């Protein structure tokens, strides 16, 4: 992580200095969180209940933390944001209507985001 921290900070600083940060949306995430407890093989399994995402630029408020987990990182504690809400917010910020439906082959409608809402508290 130290190498990532240096590179990520340099990216943010560079975009900010060039006045490009507000028009560039950056997201760092993983596919899942990890279980709050170590398993029998000294590892941690996938855990979709709590995970972290870093957002920067693109109209996201600077320097804020949104939401929290309980003391063990096992369950959401305050302001939980589901994947659908995160997706709706990201699509909104890049100019895509998250409520739009696409039509798949066979004239089958597909939601871009099913049931998510834009989390306006994190928007600048």
């Amino acid at each position: 992580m130290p190498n990532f921290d240096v590179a990520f900070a340099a990216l943010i600083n560079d975009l900010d200095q060039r006045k490009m940060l507000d028009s560039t949306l950056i997201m760092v995430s993983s596919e899942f969180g990890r279980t709050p407890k170590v398993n029998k093989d000294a590892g941690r399994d996938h855990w979709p209940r709590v995970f972290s995402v870093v957002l920067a630029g693109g109209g996201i408020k600077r320097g804020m933390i949104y939401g929290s987990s309980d003391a063990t990182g096992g369950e959401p504690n305050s302001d939980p944001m589901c994947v659908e809400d995160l997706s709706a917010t990201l699509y909104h910020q890049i100019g895509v209507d998250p409520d739009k439906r696409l039509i798949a082959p066979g004239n089958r409608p597909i939601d871009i985001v099913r049931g998510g809402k834009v989390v306006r508290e994190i928007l600048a």
Side-chain angles (χ1 to χ4, degrees):
M1 290 307 294
N3 290 337
F4 172 80
D5 289 346
V6 170
F8 186 69
L11 174 64
I12 300 296
N13 286 331
D14 185 56
L15 288 170
D16 195 33
Q17 288 173 1
R18 295 171 189 244
K19 307 289 187 230
M20 296 171 64
L21 187 58
D22 289 337
S23 63
T24 305
L25 180 59
I26 300 166
M27 176 174 150
V28 178
S29 69
S30 65
E31 62 175 325
F32 275 100
R34 294 293 177 170
T35 52
K37 295 184 181 177
V38 175
N39 66 24
K40 65 179 177 52
D41 298 319
R44 296 188 329 152
D45 299 312
H46 285 164
W47 187 253
R49 298 284 299 148
V50 175
F51 60 99
S52 298
V53 174
V54 175
L55 299 174
I60 302 297
K61 284 183 184 173
R62 293 180 179 213
M64 74 170 298
I65 296 172
Y66 183 83
S68 67
S69 66
D70 64 12
T72 64
E75 296 294 327
N77 187 43
S78 67
D79 298 319
M81 183 187 302
C82 64
V83 172
E84 293 83 3
D85 292 348
L86 175 62
S87 298
T89 304
L90 294 174
Y91 279 121
H92 171 80
Q93 288 306 101
I94 63 170
V96 174
D97 179 2
D99 296 323
K100 183 175 181 166
R101 298 184 110 190
L102 302 175
I103 302 299
N107 205 29
R108 191 171 49 111
I110 298 175
D111 297 326
I112 292 178
V113 178
R114 185 169 295 155
K117 66 176 178 32
V118 176
V119 180
R120 300 207 179 268
E121 294 86 353
I122 69 169
L123 304 182

